[in-house]
Amino acid sequence: MARRKLVAGNWKMNMTPTQTTELVNTLKPLVASDDVDVVFCVPAIDIPAAVEAAKGSNIKIGAENMYFEEKGAFTGEISPDMIVDSGATYVIIGHSERREYFAETDETVNKKVLKAFEHGLTPIICCGESLKQREQGITIDWIRQQIKIAFIDVTADQAKKAVIAYEPIWAIGTGKTATSDQAEEVCCAIRACIRELYDADVAEAITIQYGGSVNAGNAAELFAKPDIDGGLVGGASLKPDFGKIVNYK
Ligand code: PGA
């Protein structure tokens, strides 16, 4: 059975709650689709407004980050219960911006992935190499390491429901998209790594997205690749173009 495509927006640090209501209302008719799943990952403070505005549509709401403790003295952090209670069902884990600016590591990513599953949230687990790593020829080794650590203690049933977003750091927000062949090569290697860690069933079920300067012009070619099950979209997810990405066919 063919895997369903999942197109997720990553709003990053954009939009106030008021603007969120407006943007979701604008995009709602444009992202309607029967065969593509759609998620808007929004700043934590925007989740209630996004959930309210998305009611009755095909849009699911996600958070962009989450802490791995249940509660307590962690000033400024957002817990899994808070996200669930706000009505979000997805959470981005380990985005390269979190790793670069907020010191997240493969180990904290693993803790967050386990917590997300414990609370019934679907993690969108990010991985990706820097330009230097690509030039050094270690892309696949690096990605395999990120994936292996992220999935420590994750059960096969959980892994089947996971989403992995392959996002080469050099392609994020740069307008420099990986070619569809480059993206497919790594997404295929990720699926092979999951097959090794679990089995063919899990590898066939898991959703693997590409992210990094996805736009209305390149989505169709990227999503046509056999191991690319959709995209994680930053800049273009804030524009009407997002509807064209969802309806890429
Ligand atoms: P971009 O961001 O589409 O703006 O390159 C993607 C991401 O960071 O998830």
Side-chain angles (χ1 to χ4, degrees):
M1 214 178 78
R3 279 180 299 274
R4 273 176 79 82
K5 303 282 185 204
L6 171 68
V7 175
N10 172 12
W11 286 16
K12 309 197 178 187
M13 199 173 74
N14 293 293
M15 300 295 145
T16 63
T18 306
Q19 292 168 332
T20 295
T21 304
E22 286 166 19
L23 185 58
V24 173
N25 282 331
T26 304
L27 294 180
K28 212 158 39 171
L30 307 178
V31 301
S33 167
D34 288 333
D35 44 30
V36 174
D37 292 326
V38 180
V39 182
F40 288 12
C41 296
V42 305
I45 202 159
D46 295 336
I47 293 174
V51 168
E52 184 57 34
K55 269 190 187 148
S57 76
N58 61 322
I59 303 167
K60 298 205 176 78
I61 304 301
E64 297 176 10
N65 178 37
M66 178 198 83
Y67 199 47
F68 52 74
E69 294 289 353
E70 293 293 337
K71 60 169 162 173
F74 304 103
T75 303
E77 288 295 316
I78 308 284
S79 77
D81 273 344
M82 293 171 192
I83 293 172
V84 171
D85 192 58
S86 301
T89 49
Y90 285 75
V91 57
I92 298 175
I93 305 279
H95 189 278
S96 61
E97 287 150 17
R98 300 288 323 165
R99 296 177 191 251
E100 184 177 351
Y101 306 129
F102 303 99
E104 295 202 13
T105 63
D106 291 334
E107 285 70 26
T108 60
V109 166
N110 176 236
K111 286 184 184 179
K112 290 180 178 196
V113 169
L114 292 170
K115 262 297 161 200
F117 278 124
E118 205 181 291
H119 288 265
L121 290 164
T122 301
I124 300 177
I125 306 160
C126 299
C127 60
E129 82 288 2
S130 66
L131 187 57
K132 187 172 174 203
Q133 289 166 326
R134 177 158 284 268
E135 285 168 356
Q136 288 170 330
I138 62 163
T139 296
I140 303 288
D141 298 312
W142 176 257
I143 302 290
R144 282 173 58 86
Q145 172 168 315
Q146 287 187 316
I147 295 299
K148 283 184 175 182
I149 299 175
F151 280 82
I152 289 172
D153 292 336
V154 173
T155 68
D157 280 347
Q158 290 170 335
K160 276 185 188 170
K161 296 184 209 125
V163 180
I164 296 173
Y166 165 57
E167 298 203 306
I169 297 168
W170 49 271
I172 294 177
T174 57
K176 226 176 141 185
T177 322
T179 65
S180 54
D181 286 340
Q182 284 173 324
E184 168 62 17
E185 184 195 12
V186 180
C187 290
C188 178
I190 292 171
R191 205 175 298 285
C193 182
I194 293 293
R195 196 175 299 118
E196 281 169 40
L197 292 175
Y198 299 95
D199 56 31
D201 279 357
V202 177
E204 283 309 307
I206 200 165
T207 300
I208 304 179
Q209 300 175 310
Y210 167 77
S213 299
V214 174
N215 59 43
N218 59 28
E221 187 184 336
L222 287 160
F223 300 172
K225 292 290 180 184
D227 288 295
I228 301 181
D229 308 323
L232 182 58
V233 185
S237 71
L238 298 165
K239 302 184 211 149
D241 260 17
F242 194 56
K244 295 194 189 133
I245 298 173
V246 170
N247 292 295
Y248 64 96
K249 274 189 201 153

